[in-house]
């Protein structure tokens, strides 16, 4: 198990324990569930954005110039075969994205389970 998964599970377990302690202090179950769901959704959103940031979505976009402008940038013209190779590359999931996705999924699942 890599460090991101280990830290993700550790943070998730600590959060779930805090949630259970708040339930023992007679806080409403729905309130705790709402907080866990929204914070988990925020973590999941941040993780998704982190995954998409390495997705090479904007590779191959052209910089448009005016008609009379003769100046060209060196990196503007990328051959089509290189663009396809870059866009078809594997999706890179960085450890921070993996960490936030794990925390988000576990907290959302905990929020759903405690309201059942």
């Amino acid at each position: 198990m890599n460090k991101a998964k280990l830290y993700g599970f550790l943070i998730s377990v600590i959060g779930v324990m805090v949630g259970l302690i708040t339930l023992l202090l007679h806080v409403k179950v729905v309130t705790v569930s709402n907080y866990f769901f929204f914070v988990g959704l925020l973590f999941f959103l941040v993780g998704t954005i982190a995954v998409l940031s390495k997705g090479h979505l904007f590779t191959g976009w052209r910089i448009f110039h005016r008609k009379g402008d003769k100046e060209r940038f060196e990196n503007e013209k990328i051959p089509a075969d290189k663009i396809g190779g870059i866009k078809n590359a594997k999706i890179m999931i960085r450890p921070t994205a993996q960490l936030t996705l794990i925390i988000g999924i576990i907290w959302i699942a905990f929020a759903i389970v405690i309201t059942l």
Side-chain angles (χ1 to χ4, degrees):
M1 186 180 297
N2 61 11
K3 285 185 179 181
K5 286 182 183 179
L6 181 65
Y7 290 147
F9 286 126
L10 183 65
I11 292 170
S12 297
V13 167
I14 291 171
V16 168
M17 288 174 46
V18 168
L20 292 175
I21 290 171
T22 56
L23 290 175
L24 292 175
L25 296 175
H26 301 293
V27 178
K28 290 183 181 179
V29 174
V30 175
T31 305
V32 174
S33 175
N34 286 341
Y35 283 126
F36 269 97
F37 189 81
F38 285 125
V39 173
L41 199 60
L42 178 69
F43 272 107
F44 189 76
L45 180 68
V46 169
T48 305
I49 290 171
V51 169
L52 290 177
S53 70
K54 290 290 275 186
H56 305 291
L57 297 175
F58 299 112
T59 302
W61 280 31
R62 300 290 188 232
I63 301 170
F64 297 105
H65 297 280
R66 296 184 194 145
K67 273 187 171 181
D69 192 11
K70 300 293 181 186
E71 180 183 338
R72 298 286 182 202
F73 295 109
E74 295 175 5
N75 61 354
E76 181 183 4
K77 296 202 177 201
I78 301 172
D81 58 342
K82 289 186 180 179
I83 291 173
I86 292 171
K87 282 190 163 286
N88 290 332
K90 291 182 178 180
I91 295 175
M92 302 291 291
I93 300 178
R94 294 179 284 188
T96 54
Q98 191 176 19
L99 175 76
T100 55
L101 287 171
I102 289 171
I103 294 170
I105 290 170
I106 290 175
W107 283 4
I108 289 172
F110 178 69
I112 293 170
V113 166
I114 65 172
T115 55
L116 295 178

